[in-house]
Each structure stands twice: as structure tokens, then as C-alpha cells.
Amino acid sequence: MRSRDQFWSSRESTPDILLSILEEHRYVSRLLDIVEDDLVPPTTGALLSIFRYMTSVSDLYHHPKEEIVFGRVADYDSTLEDIITGIGDEHANLHRVGHQILADLNATEKHQSVKFVKRLRAETIQYATRLRRHMLVEESQIIPRAMEILNEGEWGEIAKSINPVNDPIFGATTKDDYASLFRSYLRSVKYVSSGRVPLSLFELPATILERSIYTSIGLARLPSKLASKGKIRFVRYRRHLRQLSSSSSPSDRKEMAIELIADLLHAPKEYGDVIADTLLASGHEAKEKILQDRKSRSANEAIWERTAGISWQASITNLLLRASIKPMVTALDPENTIRVKRAARVLLGNGFQTHFVPVKNDWFKARWLESDKHEKVILYLPGGGFFLPATMAHLSFLEKLANENGASALLVDYRLAPEHPFPAGLEDALSAYQYLLDEGYNPQDIVVAGDSAGGGLVLSLLQALRSDDLPCPAGAVLLSAFTDLGLASFSHETNRWRDPMMSNGLSTSLFRDYTGGNSEDHPWLSPINGDFKGFPPIFAQVGSTEVLLDDTLHVAQKARSQGVDFQVEVWGGMPHVWQLLSFIPESKKARESLNAFVKTRWQVPQDVLVS
């Protein structure tokens, strides 16, 4: 049986009325994500709006549309009569349950008892599960049969009997009554608290200590920084005055005088910025004043702060990363990245990669997982800041991922900066995808995944596929994705010291060699600036304390606003690309969640019955 997205990908041969039914199912699935999100209590307006939508739009327009189509199918195929009758009964049951939940939600202002709220929460989750199961039956058992049975003329007759409806939430324009819900949908994430050790137990003292150390260093260097600024300014002022005294043109002298005055007036701000940078590091009370006009943290982030818990293994790992890897990342610059790359190549060139075999191809370098070939394949783009090669951790992670999903795996060793700037890496990723198509893989059997810089490259690849009119894969996976080379995301400020692994002082100059002379805002360099229309479903995981947190959240919001199914999991207190750290429990848990997404992209359960 074909899945919803497989019908959607072959829309040229799918009748418009069926496409509209499948699209409405997709709308409902997006809303059910909010219903099932533990961060949304039953008293919020979001749930009220969702159930008002379910009991109005679905009952008035969606179910009658299905009943006409399914009735025609039953006329031709008597073996489906019982299932179709069951679907009709379920429509009525869902209508009744939905209206009851809506009434209960309206009554929550009067009944705030823990027991009442707990019961209501259970009812909403049960409703969501039941509705998902119901839609799956329709998509796996009835809609494919309708495609086979009904001819073009009959589809035309059905279409004439149904008035087109603009969806009030996901349509061309969102109605005012649903504007708040639509914003909730754009921002919704699933938060994962992965253990029992309070995040603040070790992380808060470590954050304070690290910030204090850097603050002390900054304060010690502050006089020399200010003196250096003063010397530079003195030289500049002297040059201005010499030019002014030697000029004979009154107009030139006027312009020089204006320039000198402007430079003098700018001096306090320049010195202030140096002092402010030091105060920002220390968490001084001036920090709030400096950031007051910036975007404030969302309500969800406040909840993450209170509820986060991680495993003891992750707690220790965070402390070790903070003491070892983070200082190294902080010290990276365009020159020593070359030395780091050489060291990595020596470390990775000792014959450990026994389970992967090189692809024999002149256009790009890649490695197949050495195992039996499967119909499904994971195309993986490893991270490394666009200048470091794949590590043993990448290979081990990809091997587990492929084996757990019964798939083949192809890891792309795309060309790296500074020797090979953009678009070399993207061209290699595109060549690898084309290679899979040439090898006979169906696009719906391919999932593209990547971590960190590789995660951003996944989004760039999808844009390139659309530009070249190539079919998109079944889905995409982003792990702690790096999507903004401009480093402008707000989480670079809020998580500057909380991130246990990534640098608190990353500079855009580090990636200058990668841009190849292009603007860092180019959407294929910084996918956060891209257009996501027509992208396949995307699944993303990111840590709540990562400086790259907003690189995922902002992309998700933008993609959702353009109609993309985008699932986001925010894991409390996890370091950058923790999925590769197989020795912590969160690595396996995250992989299980990732696998669930991959499997939904590739198959529809066949044993689903109408409940």
C-alpha cells in the first residue's frame, strides 16, 4: 500500500479530490502534534482552537467529502463494505468525542481540580491516537482502492458535488480566530527530558565557573585592549590632522573636519563595546540592559529550564567536553583548522574503517556500509564545520542507524574547505544523490540525514534538488544542524556559556574560506535564509543548551509556515550531536526516536483495523 506522501509525490496521477483529502489529513496530523505535546496543558487556548477546528471544519467539509468517495468504492467492491461502514461509524464516534472534549475544555475555568485536568489530558491523547489510527486505515485500505476503481468521469462528478473550502488555519489566509493557534503550531516542539539528574546540578556551577574564568581573563586584558584602541585612535587622529593642515581646498578641509568630528563622537561607543563584551561574559547586571531590545526567551524555554533532567553519564560527559573540546573549538581560527584537519586525517587513516567500502566514482567520494544491499538507503552528510572529515563516531552511528532500519547506508566524503570552498561540498552531495537514482533507488526509498554542518548541507541539497527539478527523497533528518553562517541566531547569546561543547566565541571569519567569496547570507550557504516550499517531511533533534538551538527552531518555523511537515525534538542539556556519543543513554534513545520517523517515511503498517 502507498503512503500519504507517495500519493502526494505522484500528484499528476492522483485526482484533485483525493489530494485535498490527503492534504486535510496532513493538516490534522500537524494539529495532533500539538495535542500530544506534553508542554501544552489542557487549559490553553490552543487546545480549544484545535477541537473547535476538529468539530467544525472536519465535520462540515472533510467527513462528507470522504463519505461520497468511500460510498462509490463500496458500490463497486462489496468486500470493503464492512470497513467503510466502520469508517462511517468512527466518523460519528469521533464527532461525539470531539464535541465532549470541546465542552470539557470550555469548562476548565470552573473545574481546575488535578483529577479533572488529568482526565481531560488522557482523553485528548486518546482522541489523537484514535484519529491517527483512523486516518491510517483510510489511507492504506480505501484510498488506494478508490484510485483503482473510479474512472476520470466519476472523479469529475464527485468534484462537482463538493464545494471547495479554504482551510481557516493552513489555507491561503489564516482566519483571525485561528491566528494564535497557527503561531503555536509554528513554534511547537517536543521537549525531551532524558534522565533524573537535574540539569542545574552540575551544569549551572560549571557554567558560572567557565564564565568567571573567561571574565577574569577579559578583565585582566581590558586595560591593554583599551590602551590598544587608544593607540590606534591616536594614530588615526594624527593622520586626520596632518591631512587637514596640508589641504588647501576649503571644501576638502570641511569634509575632513566633519570626518574627524564623527570619528571623535564614535570613540565612546567603540570603547563601550569593548567593556560591554567583557560584562556580557561575566553575567553582570548590565547584560539585561544590553540585551533588553533583543528577542526574549520563549515560554517553552522557561519550561525547559525547570523540567530538564539528564543521565549521570551525560552530566559527566558535559563536564569533560567543557574542559577539553570547548577550549579547542574556542581557539579555532582559519589557520589552525588546517592543522586540526591534518591531525584528524592521520588519526582516521589507520585502517579502522573496515565496515565501509569506497564508491568507485570519478565525480565524488563516498563509502557504502559493507552489508547486504537493501531497497531503502540512508544518504548521510557528516558534520565537521565544513573543514573536518567524518570521524569513527560518524561511521559507527551510521552503521547502527542503517542496521536498525534494515537499510543500506552511503556516507558522502564531500570536499572540504579551505582547499575546496563552496559549492564543492554541495556539488558532491548532489552527485551522490544522483548516483543513488542512477543505481535504481526510488526517491521514496531514500532518506537524507546529516549532523551539524552536514545538517545544514542537507537543507542546501533539498534546495538544489528542487532547483534542478530532481525528485525529493522520502524525508530528511537534521541533528544539531548548523544553518546560519552569519551566527546571528539569538541562542548564540542565550546559550553562550550554557553550551557544554561549542565555542562561546565563534567568529564568521572561521567560515570565510568556505564561502568561496559568496555572501554568507546565500540560502545555499545559510539555509536559514532559504525557501522550503515543496520539501519532504523533516525530523530534527537539537539540545536545549546548544548555541545552535535557534538554527533549528527558526528553520522549523519558517518551513512550517510554507507547508512543510517539520518535527522538532529539543533534548534538555544535550551536547552538540550527542547522538554520536554511543556511551551515553541519550544516544540510543535519540536514535530510537529518529528510527521511528525513518520507518514512517518508508512503510505503512498493514495490520491496522478500524477501532
Side-chain angles (χ1 to χ4, degrees), residues 110 324-325 396 457 491 550 553 563 580 592:
K110 298 179 181 179
S324 57
I325 301 299
S396 176
L457 195 56
S491 54
D550 286 342
L553 298 186
L580 274 58
E592 289 172 353

Side-chain angles (χ1 to χ4, degrees), residues 19 37-38 45 74 126 164 203 261 270 323 328 366 402 415 521 570 575 583 590:
L19 288 176
D37 189 344
D38 288 337
Q126 186 180 27
E203 291 301 303
I261 292 170
E270 187 173 326
M328 292 175 56
R415 288 169 290 173
D521 295 331
V570 176
F583 48 83

Side-chain angles (χ1 to χ4, degrees), residues 149-332:
I149 292 175
L150 304 181
N151 59 42
E152 185 176 348
E154 289 170 307
W155 286 117
E157 291 179 10
I158 294 172
K160 289 179 182 178
S161 66
I162 298 171
N163 294 323
V165 176
N166 178 54
D167 189 274
I169 302 177
F170 301 101
T173 57
T174 301
K175 288 188 175 180
D176 292 341
D177 291 349
Y178 291 103
S180 177
L181 173 59
F182 187 60
R183 287 193 296 270
S184 295
Y185 160 70
L186 294 181
R187 296 192 300 263
S188 65
V189 300
K190 179 180 180 182
Y191 181 76
V192 182
S193 185
S194 52
R196 296 185 177 182
V197 179
L199 182 58
S200 59
L201 184 62
F202 297 110
E203 291 301 303
L204 182 58
T207 297
I208 293 173
L209 177 61
E210 179 183 318
R211 189 168 58 191
S212 299
I213 292 173
Y214 278 89
T215 299
S216 299
I217 295 173
L219 289 172
R221 293 175 178 174
L222 185 57
S224 62
K225 282 185 179 180
L226 294 175
S228 176
K229 288 283 182 186
K231 289 179 182 178
I232 293 172
R233 282 195 159 275
F234 176 75
V235 172
R236 197 158 62 231
Y237 293 156
R238 187 171 58 182
R239 185 177 67 249
H240 279 311
L241 290 171
R242 284 177 178 173
Q243 291 173 343
L244 187 61
S245 61
S246 64
S247 176
S248 58
S249 170
S251 60
D252 287 348
R253 291 178 64 137
K254 181 180 178 181
E255 288 182 10
M256 290 177 189
I258 292 173
E259 185 178 346
L260 176 58
I261 292 170
D263 201 1
L264 287 167
L265 293 174
H266 181 70
K269 182 182 183 304
E270 187 173 326
Y271 291 126
D273 287 343
V274 174
I275 297 172
D277 286 342
T278 305
L279 296 179
L280 278 170
S282 67
H284 187 274
E285 61 182 1
K287 177 177 180 179
E288 290 304 319
K289 296 179 181 178
I290 295 169
L291 297 178
Q292 63 184 352
D293 60 343
R294 301 280 189 94
K295 176 182 171 185
S296 62
R297 291 188 182 182
S298 69
N300 276 351
E301 286 183 87
I303 294 174
W304 301 340
E305 295 276 350
R306 296 194 301 269
T307 61
I310 62 179
S311 68
W312 66 266
Q313 296 96 324
S315 295
I316 294 174
T317 300
N318 280 345
L319 294 175
L320 293 174
L321 290 172
R322 192 183 288 274
S324 57
I325 301 299
K326 189 170 184 177
M328 292 175 56
V329 176
T330 303
L332 281 177

Side-chain angles (χ1 to χ4, degrees), residues 58-121:
S58 295
D59 286 349
L60 289 176
Y61 303 111
H62 180 73
H63 291 162
K65 189 187 304 182
E66 288 182 332
E67 287 165 3
I68 293 173
V69 174
F70 297 172
R72 291 288 186 101
V73 172
D75 291 340
Y76 283 98
D77 190 343
S78 59
T79 63
L80 294 175
E81 283 185 4
D82 289 343
I83 295 178
I84 292 173
T85 299
I87 287 174
D89 292 341
E90 186 68 351
H91 282 170
N93 290 333
L94 288 169
H95 172 87
R96 176 183 56 79
V97 174
H99 275 277
Q100 182 59 54
I101 292 176
L102 181 61
D104 288 343
L105 284 167
N106 281 313
T108 52
E109 293 183 3
K110 298 179 181 179
H111 302 279
Q112 292 288 345
S113 69
V114 174
K115 185 177 180 180
F116 178 83
V117 171
K118 186 176 181 180
R119 176 180 64 80
L120 184 54
R121 179 66 189 158

Side-chain angles (χ1 to χ4, degrees), residues 192 397 401 479 539 541 569 571 574 578-579 585-596:
V192 182
F397 169 77
L401 199 62
L479 308 177
F539 177 83
Q541 293 176 330
E569 289 185 351
W571 286 62
M574 286 297 102
W578 75 94
Q579 298 88 345
E586 285 86 352
S587 174
K588 182 179 180 181
K589 292 179 182 177
R591 206 168 59 247
E592 289 172 353
S593 185
L594 192 165
N595 290 341

Side-chain angles (χ1 to χ4, degrees), residues 361-530:
N361 192 290
D362 295 332
W363 296 102
F364 66 97
K365 291 183 178 180
R367 285 171 279 183
W368 277 110
L369 174 63
E370 193 176 52
S371 63
D372 295 335
K373 287 293 186 289
H374 301 275
E375 291 183 1
K376 316 295 184 183
V377 62
I378 298 171
L379 179 67
Y380 197 84
L381 306 177
F386 302 111
F387 57 83
L388 290 177
T391 66
M392 286 302 301
H394 288 105
L395 300 175
S396 176
F397 169 77
L398 182 55
E399 185 174 6
K400 291 185 180 75
L401 199 62
N403 291 337
E404 289 164 355
N405 286 284
S408 298
L410 182 67
L411 183 140
V412 184
D413 291 308
Y414 55 87
R415 288 169 290 173
L416 301 167
E419 297 91 343
H420 304 286
F422 175 85
L426 177 58
E427 290 173 346
D428 291 351
L430 190 59
S431 295
Y433 187 84
Q434 182 64 63
Y435 163 79
L436 290 178
L437 298 181
D438 294 342
E439 287 290 301
Y441 283 99
N442 188 312
Q444 287 302 310
D445 292 332
I446 303 172
V447 165
V448 181
D451 66 272
S452 193
L457 195 56
V458 166
L459 295 175
S460 299
L461 172 61
L462 294 178
Q463 293 182 80
L465 292 176
R466 186 182 56 199
S467 176
D468 289 353
D469 292 324
L470 289 171
C472 279
V477 174
L478 314 178
L479 308 177
S480 299
F482 179 28
T483 67
D484 181 14
L485 261 66
L487 307 178
S489 296
F490 186 62
S491 54
H492 280 279
E493 291 284 359
T494 58
N495 287 342
R496 183 179 184 184
W497 303 105
R498 300 170 70 227
D499 192 315
M501 179 175 170
M502 294 298 288
S503 169
N504 48 44
L506 283 176
S507 169
T508 55
S509 64
L510 183 62
F511 307 103
R512 195 168 293 145
D513 290 336
Y514 171 66
T515 63
N518 295 279
S519 169
E520 63 195 22
D521 295 331
H522 191 293
W524 289 9
L525 278 165
S526 294
I528 200 168
N529 301 317

